[in-house]
C-alpha cells in the first residue's frame, strides 16, 4: 500500500509515445531496491506497473486514458518525478 511519502526523486530518461499508450523510462536508485517486474511504483501520484528493470532504471506502460487524466502527459526527458514503492 502506498503511504503518500515520497521515497526518492527520479529522472525521466525517455518517454516513448504510441497511438494508445506510452512507455516511461525512469532513472532511480532507492525504489528499485528489491523491486521486481510486476511490482508497482507510484510516479507523481500515479500507480504504474514495472515492465522491465535495468541498471538504475525501470520502465512502465502508461495507458492513453492515464495520460489524458494525469500530469504524466507533460513529462519530458530530464523531468524529475516523485517516486514511492
Amino acid at each position: 500500500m502506498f503511504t503518500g511519502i515520497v521515497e526518492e526523486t527520479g529522472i525521466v530518461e525517455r518517454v516513448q509515445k504510441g497511438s494508445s499508450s506510452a512507455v516511461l523510462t525512469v532513472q532511480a536508485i532507492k525504489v528499485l531496491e528489491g523491486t521486481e517486474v510486476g511490482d508497482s511504483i507510484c510516479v507523481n501520484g500515479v500507480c504504474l506497473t514495472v515492465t522491465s528493470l535495468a541498471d538504475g532504471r525501470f520502465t512502465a506502460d502508461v495507458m492513453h486514458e492515464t495520460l489524458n487524466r494525469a500530469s504524466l502527459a507533460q513529462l519530458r526527458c530530464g523531468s524529475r518525478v516523485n517516486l514511492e514503492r
Side-chain angles (χ1 to χ4, degrees), residues 8-82:
E8 174 180 13
T9 301
I11 299 172
V12 175
E13 185 175 278
R14 183 176 186 195
V15 179
Q16 183 179 2
K17 293 186 179 180
S19 60
S20 62
S21 65
V23 177
L24 187 64
T25 304
V26 179
Q27 296 174 357
I29 299 170
K30 186 172 184 174
V31 297
L32 298 182
E33 294 171 2
T35 297
E36 297 180 11
V37 171
D39 289 348
S40 294
I41 295 180
C42 187
V43 178
N44 279 1
V46 179
C47 177
L48 300 177
T49 301
V50 174
T51 55
S52 71
L53 293 164
D55 300 317
R57 67 187 47 82
F58 70 94
T59 62
D61 295 335
V62 184
M63 296 298 107
H64 184 67
E65 188 70 15
T66 302
L67 289 172
N68 285 341
R69 298 190 180 273
S71 63
L72 299 182
Q74 285 76 42
L75 295 179
R76 304 287 181 259
C77 292
S79 294
R80 293 197 170 274
V81 290
N82 293 324

